[in-house]
Amino acid sequence: MAFLEEQVDIVVVGAGHAGVEAALVSAKRGHKTLLFTLSPDSISMMACNPNIGGSSKGHLVRELDALGGMMGKVCDQSFLQSRMLNQSKGPAVHSLRAQADKQVYSRNMRHLVENQENLHIRQGEIVSLLCNEEKTEIRGVVSSTGARYYAKAVLICTGVYLNARCIYGEVSEETGPNGLRRATKLSQALLDLGFRLQRFKTGTPARVDRRSLDFSKMEVQKGDVPVVPFSFSTDPASVQIPQEDCYLTYTCEEGHEMIRENIDRSPMYNGVIQGTGPRYCPSIEDKVMKFPEKNRHQIFVEPEGRYTNEMYLSGLSSSLPEDVQMRILRTMAGFEKSEMVRCGYAIEYDCLNSLELENTLETKKISGLYFAGQMNGSSGYEEAAVQGFMAGINAVQKIEGKEPFVLDRSEAYIGVLIDDLVTKENKEPYRMMTSRAEYRLLLRQDNADLRLREKGYALGMVSEEEIKATREKQEAIQKELRRMETTYIGANAENNRILESISSSPIQSGISLRELCKRPECNYQNIAPLDPERPFLSPFIQEEVEIEIKYEGYIKRQIQQVEAFKKMERKKLPKDICYHDIHNLRLEARQKLDLIRPENMGMASRISGVSPADLSVLLIYLEKEKERRKEEK
């Protein structure tokens, strides 16, 4: 039987947030790229929550933008409301979060993909992989029609579609999210190649009709003014648009009692669901059962788009039966007459054990095969998108014979995310959090362009115009810091009167503007009357200047910590090291080190089950090996 055969450079399987970023990277770098999707209508579909960003996730989006990814730009074109979270706390945890119009976001991203040179969309299910005879190198993919597509690299970005099953109450449907078709055969193909798969679970809440709600009984939540764009390339003036309101309501004890009475009908509690769900995004039944002392839980009521009446109920994820969900809804303030548009459900799916991956997201078993997104056991659109970008870049670097592109934990949240995936045993869907980043004061969302734009430019993903703007911004920041350090104000009556108005103690002798700005009660804005020669600077440059001044001591200390971290990262571990021969290592450490095969001592130190004593044994072993090799020479 004759089959269609086609030769391309890179095949990307799956057109969700990971697949789209990966395919765009490959095509922009000039490689013929084939993007497979079960349905072109679901390109970059936001299957669950209608927002981009949030705590730590906003950092990922801005880092992706700084490197040349598209999520931030497209979100700026399709948002409904924008807020900077955690503003009452320090700048390290400020995170941008935008409500997105789901349909507009998907439409805009699809437009980009369809019009990207070198990028071709193909509807179809990939059912197996083509490898060399030894099954050590990728050769291409096979579709359900039997067609063969040969490629130099293959990226698997299948999200939650592999053997997906949607469950609520007694209903179990073998579909992907939102009733879409699932992929049924690729899992077995991966198992046949020796990959270890896991069964994970996530969930989504009911959606309700806006017209059936009484918003007067809820707390209104408005967006920030002015709006801060996600992308460093977006003109801030272009995003100052009318914003949609969100609302806050609460569950109540009556609804909690309904959950307790029907918990035996919950697939999560009666054994129907086997997959492990995300600990940091629990279902409402989990919240009620695990925190019985709480008599209410927050529910955020968020619009799904400007041109739909569907409202998303963040915090009410559930797989309870439809009738129970409906009754719980109507116990909440403002929901007494609510009408459900879509029932909440849990979704189980197959994903890869991410310990199978190098920190480039290439598999250890098969050269040229990469995995990205929820397929790697992560959760969230943002985590998926940055993995797609990194997998795409590394696939391109490999086929061009160039060095891999890896970000470490001291350089980006992206580095933290990938390092955690490839070194830690993740027993549940991985979610990025600011607490996971040891150097978060350096890895702020506001300075992502200053940290990463040059890297994106070197990769060919950032334009001349964008890098010029970043360099000018960096120069303006440094120039203003120098000016404030060398500009002094005198201890006269007028200056002290101004200081008194901002509750600052008087000055007894001349002081630099930089030192003055360090005072807790002072900031860059309120000392402006003392600084008549101040140049005009954008709010973003002013923010960087103030952070650099106020957190100078903490920043210096964290830079010293990074230097110690880098020292450990530079201690490479031989690829052929036999950990089972190092007898002073504990058995668990030997097993974990042999399984994960860390590249350096830093990675080894982050493996659960490897103790500080084990690391000392490893260091002694490396020194002895070094001496032995010297003697042999």
Side-chain angles (χ1 to χ4, degrees):
M1 185 183 293
F3 296 108
L4 171 69
E5 292 193 352
E6 189 173 340
Q7 179 72 52
V8 298
D9 294 319
I10 290 180
V11 165
V12 179
V13 183
H17 303 283
V20 161
E21 295 286 356
L24 286 169
V25 165
S26 169
K28 286 178 180 178
R29 284 281 292 263
H31 297 278
K32 185 177 180 182
T33 305
L34 200 52
L35 177 62
F36 275 94
T37 174
L38 293 173
S39 170
D41 295 329
S42 62
I43 289 174
S44 283
M45 181 181 73
M46 301 175 76
C48 191
N49 53 296
N51 46 65
I52 299 287
S55 184
S56 76
K57 292 169 180 279
H59 291 67
L60 291 174
V61 180
R62 296 202 112 195
E63 289 179 351
L64 176 62
D65 179 74
L67 290 169
M70 295 308 300
M71 177 174 269
K73 289 184 175 71
V74 174
C75 188
D76 287 341
Q77 298 164 4
S78 51
F79 78 99
L80 300 170
Q81 187 195 90
S82 178
R83 297 175 69 194
M84 186 69 75
L85 305 185
N86 303 322
Q87 291 196 76
S88 62
K89 301 176 182 178
V93 294
H94 292 177
S95 291
L96 194 59
R97 181 180 188 265
Q99 296 296 138
D101 187 313
K102 285 185 170 184
Q103 292 182 346
V104 175
Y105 182 89
S106 179
R107 183 193 70 199
N108 289 350
M109 192 66 89
R110 180 175 178 177
H111 179 75
L112 276 178
V113 170
E114 288 182 336
N115 290 280
Q116 175 60 51
E117 188 179 357
N118 302 316
L119 180 51
H120 308 275
I121 300 168
R122 190 68 55 85
Q123 181 170 1
E125 180 182 354
I126 297 304
V127 297
S128 65
L129 304 178
L130 298 170
C131 299
N132 63 347
E133 192 173 337
E134 295 80 15
K135 294 185 170 44
T136 56
E137 293 181 7
I138 200 70
R139 292 286 185 265
V141 298
V142 181
S143 77
S144 58
T145 64
R148 293 168 176 257
Y149 300 90
Y150 296 98
K152 300 169 187 174
V154 172
L155 286 72
I156 307 295
C157 309
T158 48
V160 299
Y161 285 83
L162 290 194
N163 284 334
R165 182 172 68 133
C166 291
I167 311 152
Y168 52 101
E170 294 80 22
V171 178
S172 178
E173 300 174 329
E174 295 184 340
T175 70
N178 288 355
L180 295 173
R181 176 183 166 195
R182 67 175 188 161
T184 59
K185 296 181 180 177
L186 187 56
S187 289
Q188 189 57 52
L190 294 171
L191 290 169
D192 291 344
L193 288 168
F195 289 106
R196 289 171 295 147
L197 300 185
Q198 303 179 111
R199 193 76 171 158
F200 275 0
K201 166 254 164 192
T202 188
T204 194
R207 273 67 149 187
V208 297
D209 190 326
R210 174 196 293 267
R211 298 169 300 174
S212 67
L213 303 180
D214 183 352
F215 294 111
S216 68
K217 296 181 179 180
M218 306 180 205
E219 300 172 32
V220 66
Q221 293 198 309
K222 294 188 174 292
D224 290 345
V225 178
V227 171
V228 176
F230 258 120
S231 176
F232 295 100
S233 305
T234 296
D235 178 4
S238 70
V239 294
Q240 309 309 319
I241 62 173
Q243 298 182 62
E244 296 287 322
D245 288 338
C246 295
Y247 299 87
L248 173 63
T249 189
Y250 298 87
T251 60
C252 64
E253 188 54 42
E254 182 185 355
H256 294 187
E257 188 56 35
M258 288 179 187
I259 291 172
R260 287 189 284 265
E261 288 173 356
N262 291 276
I263 200 66
D264 61 315
R265 298 178 66 196
S266 167
M268 290 177 54
Y269 282 82
N270 62 19
V272 172
I273 291 177
Q274 300 296 316
T276 307
R279 188 181 358 154
Y280 300 103
C281 190
S283 66
I284 188 62
E285 48 263 47
D286 256 353
K287 292 178 188 175
V288 170
M289 300 305 291
K290 293 180 179 177
F291 305 102
E293 73 282 1
K294 291 187 177 290
N295 57 17
R296 69 176 192 171
H297 294 281
Q298 289 182 325
I299 305 298
F300 295 93
V301 185
E302 303 167 341
E304 295 235 321
R306 265 185 219 281
Y307 309 107
T308 176
N309 284 325
E310 275 192 78
M311 302 293 282
Y312 181 90
L313 307 182
S314 181
L316 203 68
S317 172
S318 178
S319 59
L320 284 162
E322 183 177 20
D323 63 296
V324 180
Q325 290 191 42
M326 190 71 254
R327 283 187 284 142
I328 293 168
L329 282 176
R330 290 180 174 171
T331 65
M332 300 190 305
F335 280 73
E336 293 84 356
K337 297 180 180 179
S338 61
E339 294 293 338
M340 191 158 60
V341 178
R342 306 187 199 211
C343 187
Y345 59 85
I347 181 167
E348 278 189 328
Y349 56 95
D350 292 342
C351 59
L352 184 76
N353 184 323
S354 55
L355 297 182
E356 299 269 11
L357 301 171
E358 305 282 4
N359 56 7
T360 58
L361 299 181
E362 184 179 25
T363 65
K364 296 172 181 177
K365 285 187 176 71
I366 299 178
S367 175
L369 178 62
Y370 297 77
F371 286 79
Q374 284 187 265
M375 182 62 201
N376 287 344
S378 62
S379 68
Y381 311 142
E382 304 83 1
E383 289 93 335
V386 298
Q387 288 177 66
F389 182 93
M390 296 298 285
I393 277 290
N394 279 304
V396 168
Q397 294 289 97
K398 187 180 184 75
I399 66 178
E400 291 182 1
K402 296 177 179 176
E403 287 294 310
F405 178 66
V406 175
L407 293 168
D408 68 40
R409 301 180 74 89
S410 69
E411 294 176 301
Y413 271 69
I414 295 173
V416 175
L417 165 65
I418 294 176
D419 186 70
D420 280 352
L421 285 175
V422 302
T423 60
K424 292 176 168 49
E425 291 186 281
N426 294 299
K427 303 292 188 183
E428 62 190 48
Y430 179 95
R431 179 178 179 172
M432 192 70 239
M433 294 182 290
T434 51
S435 60
R436 297 189 192 272
E438 302 92 324
Y439 313 112
R440 53 187 171 272
L441 184 56
L442 301 180
L443 308 183
R444 305 184 309 276
Q445 56 87 31
D446 59 86
N447 69 359
D449 57 337
L450 305 176
R451 291 185 280 119
L452 299 173
R453 267 286 198 238
E454 290 287 353
K455 293 179 185 293
Y457 179 68
L459 290 168
M461 299 303 299
V462 169
S463 69
E464 292 286 346
E465 183 182 2
E466 288 171 325
I467 195 62
K468 180 184 176 187
T470 302
R471 289 169 179 170
E472 288 175 351
K473 178 180 176 181
Q474 181 74 273
E475 185 179 341
I477 293 166
Q478 295 306 316
K479 184 177 180 181
E480 180 64 355
L481 286 170
R482 288 192 298 270
R483 187 192 72 83
M484 292 189 71
E485 189 168 12
T486 56
T487 302
Y488 283 76
I489 62 168
N492 56 51
E494 176 59 19
N495 286 343
N496 279 327
R497 185 190 64 77
I498 294 170
L499 286 173
E500 184 181 358
S501 70
I502 57 177
S503 302
S504 183
S505 56
I507 52 176
Q508 306 300 324
S509 60
I511 185 173
S512 73
L513 290 172
R514 184 164 182 152
E515 282 301 312
L516 185 62
C517 193
K518 285 183 179 180
R519 291 185 175 187
E521 64 275 13
C522 295
N523 58 52
Y524 190 81
Q525 290 292 338
N526 66 18
I527 65 170
L530 297 163
D531 188 15
E533 302 300 318
R534 174 176 292 187
F536 173 78
L537 298 171
S538 76
F540 306 112
I541 293 174
Q542 293 180 31
E543 179 184 25
E544 294 303 319
V545 168
E546 181 167 324
I547 291 171
E548 286 290 327
I549 291 173
K550 283 197 168 293
Y551 293 87
E552 182 181 18
Y554 298 103
I555 289 171
K556 284 181 178 177
R557 187 185 309 162
Q558 204 143 91
I559 289 171
Q560 291 172 351
Q561 292 170 348
V562 167
E563 288 170 358
F565 161 80
K566 294 277 191 185
K567 189 176 179 181
M568 288 289 278
E569 298 294 297
R570 285 193 291 268
K571 288 187 179 295
K572 301 295 181 183
L573 290 165
K575 288 186 179 293
D576 59 351
I577 188 170
C578 181
Y579 293 102
H580 291 288
D581 290 345
I582 308 175
H583 300 298
N584 288 334
L585 283 176
R586 292 176 308 110
L587 178 60
E588 183 185 10
R590 275 184 252 165
Q591 292 171 339
K592 293 285 182 66
L593 290 164
D594 187 60
L595 174 66
I596 296 170
R597 311 294 304 176
E599 293 187 6
N600 53 60
M601 287 296 295
M603 284 183 71
S605 71
R606 295 187 290 277
I607 297 173
S608 58
V610 177
S611 70
D614 295 318
L615 295 174
S616 297
V617 170
L618 259 183
L619 286 170
I620 293 168
Y621 173 82
L622 291 175
E623 286 300 316
K624 286 182 178 178
E625 282 295 294
K626 186 177 177 181
E627 290 298 319
R628 184 181 63 79
R629 289 193 182 98
K630 277 184 183 178
E631 290 173 5
E632 286 178 354
K633 289 180 180 179

